[in-house]
Amino acid sequence: MKRTQKSIVNLIVILAIAFSAFNLAIRQAGAETVKITLFVGKVSAYVNGREVPLDVPVIIDKSCNRTLVPLRFISESFGANVNWDRKERKITITLNNETIELYIGKRTAYINGKPILTDCKPKILFGRTIVPVRFISEVFGAKVLWFPKDKKIEILFEKHPEEEGKNPAKANPNAVTLIKKTVKARDGEINKITFYIVKIITKDKTVKILPFLSDGGPKTRESYSSFIKRVKPVAAINGGTFDLEANILTGDVVKNGVPQFVRTDGYEYTETMGVDKNGTPFFADGKIDYTLNINGSNVPIVSVNGFRIYGHHSGAAIYTNWYKNKITPENREQIALVKDGAVKKITNPLYPQTLSDDEWALVFNNELKEGDKVSLKILINGKDYSGSSFMRCGPLLVKNGKAYIDYKKYENLNRTMKRGARSLLGIGKDGNFYFIY
């Protein structure tokens, strides 16, 4: 594993455990449980507790007494691919080794080419295809629960990693280990301090470091029980991007190369810690520059998820699925969905929370069209960290194995140097991650 910065071989940064905005979670190979909750008559659903608006409501078809749900939502929640043949009015859904073929207005469906008679016909409602939820779910091995009192449907689905022609790697029990260490304390009030240290071998192929953001967005909290239940990590730590006294975000929070929030305090110099696009942990300090390029021309970013960037008054706005409200373009603005470096489609209006993690929305007042090239580059001190996930951190406590604090940089040092339990995050000289409490 390459070290991203030779001069930084060992560091620990203060992290705020009181406020949950950005979390790093370690998860090992295995199935992920997806819980989908729907309510009859409602135009919103919940995927692992996260609210997602629907194009059309969930309905009960009185002709067959079966619940019908929007096809694309239910299929893509499973991670399935959906194809629509307009001429034949045919829907093809593919997931792993299962293929379902359905026809609008017909009860006969096909599973891997074999015909089967369904209880209910797929229909078109307000221009959207709706399908019998139990049939689709159970073909893909999901468990469907019906709660008549609340008119609620719960779907539990075990989402397995793609095999890519091989069996998934078995979890290595030694990849994540807990170390307990007690040391003498110099503080007159305390005789000793016990540290609990989680060591994560980042080179292990069964380990994946995942960035997670609180579903409520900035200045909100998610309970720890909710986070653990949702993510199911082997180990997790909170990220400190707050003024600890004012509970205000002051740092940069970037997920998979797309900003979720950017600093609004005008600071040009900051320290960041995270994982690069290859999953390798890194520490970097210096000026962070975001460069948005549309069809070969650089365009300033004026805001991210509704938070304005210091010093920018005109340009493009970025939205990700962290944003919970509806966005509607004004005047000559357009909303473009960006994926894989290009405009996927032009839409109006948009609920960003319906976007997947690898999509983001761009609001711009110039004419855009499908296929236009869009790139977002992130430089820290001139080095390219595009595709990374990171948060602001600091002050630096240990550097190159020695205690280190640059008091000139941190005039407000007292706001982070507090008594009481604290969480720490470090990268060892071996390149491994260490969570310390």
Side-chain angles (χ1 to χ4, degrees):
M1 178 185 299
K2 291 183 179 180
R3 293 191 197 118
T4 55
Q5 209 164 331
K6 290 182 180 179
S7 63
I8 307 298
V9 294
N10 189 13
L11 62 96
I12 301 174
V13 294
I14 281 188
L15 296 178
I17 197 168
F19 309 112
S20 175
F22 183 98
N23 303 276
L24 286 179
I26 307 299
R27 192 156 60 193
Q28 291 190 273
E32 174 190 357
T33 301
V34 177
K35 180 182 178 181
I36 304 165
T37 306
L38 304 125
F39 295 87
V40 173
K42 302 293 185 181
V43 288
S44 61
Y46 297 86
V47 179
N48 287 344
R50 175 178 161 191
E51 186 176 4
V52 178
L54 305 176
D55 292 331
V56 294
V58 177
I59 69 164
I60 293 180
D61 188 333
K62 293 181 179 179
S63 66
C64 57
N65 198 31
R66 291 291 181 267
T67 306
L68 278 70
V69 299
L71 162 70
R72 192 165 295 275
F73 164 76
I74 200 68
S75 300
E76 293 186 351
S77 294
F78 290 156
N81 293 317
V82 179
N83 184 59
W84 165 248
D85 187 324
R86 186 183 300 273
K87 185 177 180 181
E88 294 190 36
R89 292 167 64 83
K90 172 185 171 184
I91 309 132
T92 304
I93 312 166
T94 305
L95 178 63
N96 298 331
N97 297 320
E98 301 289 348
T99 298
I100 305 173
E101 295 171 295
L102 300 158
Y103 293 83
I104 300 297
K106 296 182 180 180
R107 284 184 59 194
T108 302
Y110 296 85
I111 301 174
N112 296 329
K114 296 181 180 180
I116 184 172
L117 199 63
T118 64
D119 292 330
C120 214
K121 306 171 185 176
K123 296 184 176 183
I124 302 290
L125 179 66
F126 303 128
R128 294 290 185 268
T129 303
I130 55 175
V131 294
V133 63
R134 186 175 294 275
F135 171 73
I136 299 292
S137 302
E138 292 183 348
V139 168
F140 291 142
K143 184 178 181 181
V144 182
L145 303 173
W146 166 245
F147 301 88
K149 183 179 178 180
D150 300 319
K151 292 188 176 181
K152 180 175 77 171
I153 306 110
E154 281 190 0
I155 304 166
L156 301 175
F157 176 65
E158 293 293 325
K159 200 172 185 179
H160 292 270
E162 295 181 6
E163 293 188 0
E164 299 180 354
K166 300 178 182 179
N167 293 324
K170 293 181 179 179
N172 176 6
N174 298 316
V176 180
T177 54
L178 178 65
I179 305 165
K180 181 179 177 182
K181 188 175 182 64
T182 300
V183 298
K184 291 182 178 180
R186 294 181 181 177
D187 194 315
E189 299 176 12
I190 304 172
N191 294 323
K192 60 182 180 180
I193 302 173
T194 299
F195 291 93
Y196 296 89
I197 306 167
V198 179
K199 177 183 176 182
I200 301 100
I201 301 176
T202 53
K203 293 181 181 179
D204 193 289
K205 293 182 179 180
T206 70
V207 166
K208 187 174 184 182
I209 302 172
L210 306 168
F212 284 89
L213 296 161
S214 288
D215 280 346
K219 302 184 186 179
T220 64
R221 306 182 188 189
E222 178 180 8
S223 69
Y224 294 109
S225 59
S226 168
F227 175 77
I228 296 300
K229 185 177 180 181
R230 178 166 65 94
V231 180
K232 296 181 176 62
V234 176
I237 195 165
N238 282 57
T241 57
F242 290 92
D243 179 318
L244 303 188
E245 294 178 346
N247 189 14
I248 298 173
L249 269 169
T250 59
D252 293 74
V253 179
V254 176
K255 182 178 180 183
N256 300 330
V258 181
Q260 314 294 308
F261 178 86
V262 295
R263 62 196 183 281
T264 59
D265 49 20
Y267 293 166
E268 291 188 345
Y269 191 97
T270 190
E271 294 180 323
T272 63
M273 178 179 279
V275 291
D276 65 20
K277 59 186 176 182
N278 298 315
T280 305
F282 72 87
F283 167 83
D285 59 345
K287 184 181 178 183
I288 302 179
D289 291 303
Y290 296 94
T291 303
L292 175 64
N293 188 284
I294 302 175
N295 292 327
S297 299
N298 290 340
V299 176
I301 303 171
V302 296
S303 65
V304 173
N305 283 327
F307 294 92
R308 295 197 65 82
I309 297 178
Y310 180 84
H312 289 181
H313 303 288
S314 63
I318 289 175
Y319 291 89
T320 73
N321 58 18
W322 202 22
Y323 190 74
K324 303 304 175 188
N325 300 319
K326 177 182 177 181
I327 56 173
T328 304
E330 300 177 358
N331 301 325
R332 295 176 57 231
E333 291 179 338
Q334 288 180 306
I335 302 176
L337 261 62
V338 179
K339 184 176 181 179
D340 299 328
V343 174
K344 182 180 177 182
K345 69 175 181 179
I346 305 297
T347 183
N348 178 25
L350 175 69
Y351 287 93
Q353 65 193 100
T354 63
L355 302 176
S356 61
D357 281 347
D358 58 353
E359 295 175 320
W360 49 284
L362 183 67
V363 180
F364 194 39
N365 61 4
N366 285 31
E367 186 173 344
L368 295 169
K369 61 183 184 299
E370 290 185 18
D372 281 353
K373 301 298 182 184
V374 178
S375 65
L376 187 59
K377 183 175 284 189
I378 302 170
L379 300 177
I380 304 176
N381 253 2
K383 185 173 181 178
D384 195 339
Y385 285 91
S386 301
S388 300
S389 301
F390 60 82
M391 57 200 160
R392 172 181 288 194
C393 64
L396 197 63
L397 297 184
V398 177
K399 182 176 182 179
N400 296 333
K402 297 179 180 179
Y404 172 84
I405 295 176
D406 189 336
Y407 288 93
K408 292 181 180 179
K409 287 184 189 175
Y410 306 108
E411 296 177 2
N412 298 319
L413 192 62
N414 63 313
R415 72 177 175 85
T416 55
M417 299 297 285
K418 292 186 175 183
R419 293 180 181 274
R422 286 291 178 267
S423 293
L424 309 168
L425 176 61
I427 305 172
K429 60 184 179 182
D430 51 11
N432 294 326
F433 247 148
Y434 292 86
F435 291 176
I436 306 167
Y437 178 74

mmCIF file of all heavy atoms in Angstrom, residues 189-210:
data_model
loop_
_atom_site.group_PDB
_atom_site.id
_atom_site.type_symbol
_atom_site.label_atom_id
_atom_site.label_comp_id
_atom_site.label_asym_id
_atom_site.label_seq_id
_atom_site.Cartn_x
_atom_site.Cartn_y
_atom_site.Cartn_z
ATOM 1 N N GLU A 189 -5.867 14.576 38.821
ATOM 2 C CA GLU A 189 -7.183 14.054 39.156
ATOM 3 C C GLU A 189 -7.353 12.595 38.742
ATOM 4 O O GLU A 189 -8.259 11.911 39.220
ATOM 5 C CB GLU A 189 -8.261 14.903 38.473
ATOM 6 C CG GLU A 189 -8.254 16.369 38.908
ATOM 7 C CD GLU A 189 -9.277 17.183 38.144
ATOM 8 O OE1 GLU A 189 -10.129 16.559 37.471
ATOM 9 O OE2 GLU A 189 -9.228 18.418 38.217
ATOM 10 N N ILE A 190 -6.501 12.126 37.845
ATOM 11 C CA ILE A 190 -6.652 10.774 37.302
ATOM 12 C C ILE A 190 -5.319 10.042 37.427
ATOM 13 O O ILE A 190 -4.265 10.586 37.093
ATOM 14 C CB ILE A 190 -7.077 10.809 35.826
ATOM 15 C CG1 ILE A 190 -8.377 11.619 35.661
ATOM 16 C CG2 ILE A 190 -7.279 9.401 35.283
ATOM 17 C CD1 ILE A 190 -8.763 11.871 34.237
ATOM 18 N N ASN A 191 -5.354 8.811 37.934
ATOM 19 C CA ASN A 191 -4.128 8.030 38.084
ATOM 20 C C ASN A 191 -3.757 7.279 36.813
ATOM 21 O O ASN A 191 -2.590 7.103 36.493
ATOM 22 C CB ASN A 191 -4.284 7.034 39.237
ATOM 23 C CG ASN A 191 -4.401 7.738 40.575
ATOM 24 O OD1 ASN A 191 -3.753 8.754 40.790
ATOM 25 N ND2 ASN A 191 -5.241 7.201 41.453
ATOM 26 N N LYS A 192 -4.766 6.814 36.073
ATOM 27 C CA LYS A 192 -4.495 6.048 34.864
ATOM 28 C C LYS A 192 -5.625 6.230 33.862
ATOM 29 O O LYS A 192 -6.755 6.578 34.213
ATOM 30 C CB LYS A 192 -4.312 4.569 35.175
ATOM 31 C CG LYS A 192 -5.513 3.904 35.819
ATOM 32 C CD LYS A 192 -5.218 2.451 36.141
ATOM 33 C CE LYS A 192 -6.442 1.780 36.787
ATOM 34 N NZ LYS A 192 -6.167 0.350 37.101
ATOM 35 N N ILE A 193 -5.313 5.984 32.616
ATOM 36 C CA ILE A 193 -6.294 6.086 31.526
ATOM 37 C C ILE A 193 -6.253 4.791 30.732
ATOM 38 O O ILE A 193 -5.170 4.293 30.390
ATOM 39 C CB ILE A 193 -5.983 7.267 30.587
ATOM 40 C CG1 ILE A 193 -5.957 8.580 31.369
ATOM 41 C CG2 ILE A 193 -7.005 7.340 29.455
ATOM 42 C CD1 ILE A 193 -5.502 9.767 30.547
ATOM 43 N N THR A 194 -7.422 4.234 30.440
ATOM 44 C CA THR A 194 -7.508 3.025 29.620
ATOM 45 C C THR A 194 -7.968 3.403 28.214
ATOM 46 O O THR A 194 -8.993 4.071 28.045
ATOM 47 C CB THR A 194 -8.492 2.015 30.231
ATOM 48 O OG1 THR A 194 -8.023 1.639 31.527
ATOM 49 C CG2 THR A 194 -8.593 0.767 29.358
ATOM 50 N N PHE A 195 -7.186 2.983 27.225
ATOM 51 C CA PHE A 195 -7.515 3.222 25.826
ATOM 52 C C PHE A 195 -7.999 1.920 25.190
ATOM 53 O O PHE A 195 -7.419 0.855 25.415
ATOM 54 C CB PHE A 195 -6.287 3.717 25.051
ATOM 55 C CG PHE A 195 -5.848 5.096 25.433
ATOM 56 C CD1 PHE A 195 -4.883 5.285 26.410
ATOM 57 C CD2 PHE A 195 -6.392 6.207 24.814
ATOM 58 C CE1 PHE A 195 -4.465 6.557 26.769
ATOM 59 C CE2 PHE A 195 -5.980 7.488 25.165
ATOM 60 C CZ PHE A 195 -5.019 7.664 26.137
ATOM 61 N N TYR A 196 -9.060 2.024 24.415
ATOM 62 C CA TYR A 196 -9.529 0.904 23.592
ATOM 63 C C TYR A 196 -9.203 1.247 22.146
ATOM 64 O O TYR A 196 -9.661 2.253 21.614
ATOM 65 C CB TYR A 196 -11.029 0.688 23.791
ATOM 66 C CG TYR A 196 -11.379 0.292 25.198
ATOM 67 C CD1 TYR A 196 -11.651 1.257 26.168
ATOM 68 C CD2 TYR A 196 -11.411 -1.045 25.582
ATOM 69 C CE1 TYR A 196 -11.953 0.903 27.473
ATOM 70 C CE2 TYR A 196 -11.713 -1.417 26.893
ATOM 71 C CZ TYR A 196 -11.989 -0.435 27.822
ATOM 72 O OH TYR A 196 -12.285 -0.787 29.119
ATOM 73 N N ILE A 197 -8.393 0.403 21.531
ATOM 74 C CA ILE A 197 -7.871 0.698 20.194
ATOM 75 C C ILE A 197 -8.339 -0.393 19.230
ATOM 76 O O ILE A 197 -8.081 -1.582 19.435
ATOM 77 C CB ILE A 197 -6.332 0.755 20.204
ATOM 78 C CG1 ILE A 197 -5.850 1.753 21.270
ATOM 79 C CG2 ILE A 197 -5.803 1.142 18.827
ATOM 80 C CD1 ILE A 197 -4.364 1.645 21.570
ATOM 81 N N VAL A 198 -9.033 0.018 18.180
ATOM 82 C CA VAL A 198 -9.434 -0.913 17.126
ATOM 83 C C VAL A 198 -8.437 -0.771 15.979
ATOM 84 O O VAL A 198 -8.269 0.319 15.419
ATOM 85 C CB VAL A 198 -10.856 -0.619 16.620
ATOM 86 C CG1 VAL A 198 -11.240 -1.593 15.504
ATOM 87 C CG2 VAL A 198 -11.854 -0.714 17.758
ATOM 88 N N LYS A 199 -7.768 -1.856 15.663
ATOM 89 C CA LYS A 199 -6.813 -1.851 14.564
ATOM 90 C C LYS A 199 -7.463 -2.464 13.336
ATOM 91 O O LYS A 199 -8.026 -3.556 13.403
ATOM 92 C CB LYS A 199 -5.561 -2.656 14.937
ATOM 93 C CG LYS A 199 -4.533 -2.757 13.816
ATOM 94 C CD LYS A 199 -3.354 -3.641 14.236
ATOM 95 C CE LYS A 199 -2.366 -3.816 13.084
ATOM 96 N NZ LYS A 199 -1.244 -4.698 13.460
ATOM 97 N N ILE A 200 -7.401 -1.757 12.203
ATOM 98 C CA ILE A 200 -7.996 -2.229 10.960
ATOM 99 C C ILE A 200 -6.892 -2.407 9.921
ATOM 100 O O ILE A 200 -6.198 -1.455 9.571
ATOM 101 C CB ILE A 200 -9.050 -1.249 10.432
ATOM 102 C CG1 ILE A 200 -10.177 -1.048 11.459
ATOM 103 C CG2 ILE A 200 -9.644 -1.719 9.128
ATOM 104 C CD1 ILE A 200 -10.033 0.215 12.250
ATOM 105 N N ILE A 201 -6.712 -3.638 9.467
ATOM 106 C CA ILE A 201 -5.701 -3.910 8.431
ATOM 107 C C ILE A 201 -6.313 -3.544 7.081
ATOM 108 O O ILE A 201 -7.123 -4.292 6.516
ATOM 109 C CB ILE A 201 -5.262 -5.384 8.461
ATOM 110 C CG1 ILE A 201 -4.692 -5.733 9.840
ATOM 111 C CG2 ILE A 201 -4.242 -5.666 7.358
ATOM 112 C CD1 ILE A 201 -4.317 -7.189 9.998
ATOM 113 N N THR A 202 -5.962 -2.391 6.579
ATOM 114 C CA THR A 202 -6.621 -1.872 5.384
ATOM 115 C C THR A 202 -6.245 -2.640 4.115
ATOM 116 O O THR A 202 -6.944 -2.551 3.110
ATOM 117 C CB THR A 202 -6.277 -0.383 5.194
ATOM 118 O OG1 THR A 202 -4.853 -0.224 5.208
ATOM 119 C CG2 THR A 202 -6.864 0.440 6.315
ATOM 120 N N LYS A 203 -5.149 -3.391 4.139
ATOM 121 C CA LYS A 203 -4.768 -4.174 2.958
ATOM 122 C C LYS A 203 -5.622 -5.421 2.787
ATOM 123 O O LYS A 203 -5.650 -6.011 1.713
ATOM 124 C CB LYS A 203 -3.285 -4.589 3.062
ATOM 125 C CG LYS A 203 -2.301 -3.441 2.978
ATOM 126 C CD LYS A 203 -0.876 -3.970 3.077
ATOM 127 C CE LYS A 203 0.139 -2.844 3.014
ATOM 128 N NZ LYS A 203 1.532 -3.337 3.136
ATOM 129 N N ASP A 204 -6.302 -5.834 3.861
ATOM 130 C CA ASP A 204 -7.099 -7.053 3.802
ATOM 131 C C ASP A 204 -8.261 -6.879 2.823
ATOM 132 O O ASP A 204 -9.023 -5.916 2.910
ATOM 133 C CB ASP A 204 -7.633 -7.400 5.194
ATOM 134 C CG ASP A 204 -8.188 -8.812 5.249
ATOM 135 O OD1 ASP A 204 -9.253 -9.048 4.657
ATOM 136 O OD2 ASP A 204 -7.562 -9.675 5.875
ATOM 137 N N LYS A 205 -8.414 -7.812 1.910
ATOM 138 C CA LYS A 205 -9.422 -7.687 0.854
ATOM 139 C C LYS A 205 -10.846 -7.878 1.359
ATOM 140 O O LYS A 205 -11.806 -7.564 0.653
ATOM 141 C CB LYS A 205 -9.123 -8.673 -0.276
ATOM 142 C CG LYS A 205 -7.839 -8.349 -1.026
ATOM 143 C CD LYS A 205 -7.608 -9.316 -2.171
ATOM 144 C CE LYS A 205 -6.329 -8.955 -2.930
ATOM 145 N NZ LYS A 205 -6.068 -9.889 -4.055
ATOM 146 N N THR A 206 -10.992 -8.426 2.569
ATOM 147 C CA THR A 206 -12.350 -8.598 3.100
ATOM 148 C C THR A 206 -12.815 -7.374 3.880
ATOM 149 O O THR A 206 -13.937 -7.352 4.371
ATOM 150 C CB THR A 206 -12.426 -9.837 4.018
ATOM 151 O OG1 THR A 206 -11.694 -9.584 5.220
ATOM 152 C CG2 THR A 206 -11.875 -11.064 3.337
ATOM 153 N N VAL A 207 -11.957 -6.353 3.966
ATOM 154 C CA VAL A 207 -12.295 -5.140 4.703
ATOM 155 C C VAL A 207 -12.657 -4.037 3.719
ATOM 156 O O VAL A 207 -11.976 -3.827 2.719
ATOM 157 C CB VAL A 207 -11.110 -4.682 5.575
ATOM 158 C CG1 VAL A 207 -11.321 -3.265 6.075
ATOM 159 C CG2 VAL A 207 -10.942 -5.622 6.760
ATOM 160 N N LYS A 208 -13.728 -3.343 4.015
ATOM 161 C CA LYS A 208 -14.123 -2.192 3.203
ATOM 162 C C LYS A 208 -14.395 -1.014 4.124
ATOM 163 O O LYS A 208 -15.129 -1.130 5.099
ATOM 164 C CB LYS A 208 -15.373 -2.504 2.379
ATOM 165 C CG LYS A 208 -15.716 -1.399 1.382
ATOM 166 C CD LYS A 208 -16.872 -1.807 0.492
ATOM 167 C CE LYS A 208 -17.127 -0.727 -0.565
ATOM 168 N NZ LYS A 208 -18.286 -1.083 -1.416
ATOM 169 N N ILE A 209 -13.759 0.117 3.826
ATOM 170 C CA ILE A 209 -13.961 1.334 4.615
ATOM 171 C C ILE A 209 -15.011 2.172 3.910
ATOM 172 O O ILE A 209 -14.856 2.548 2.755
ATOM 173 C CB ILE A 209 -12.646 2.111 4.758
ATOM 174 C CG1 ILE A 209 -11.580 1.220 5.419
ATOM 175 C CG2 ILE A 209 -12.855 3.385 5.566
ATOM 176 C CD1 ILE A 209 -10.206 1.831 5.441
ATOM 177 N N LEU A 210 -16.115 2.450 4.600
ATOM 178 C CA LEU A 210 -17.248 3.124 3.991
ATOM 179 C C LEU A 210 -17.525 4.460 4.672
ATOM 180 O O LEU A 210 -17.591 4.521 5.901
ATOM 181 C CB LEU A 210 -18.507 2.252 4.107
ATOM 182 C CG LEU A 210 -18.405 0.828 3.559
ATOM 183 C CD1 LEU A 210 -19.598 0.014 3.996
ATOM 184 C CD2 LEU A 210 -18.328 0.855 2.045
#
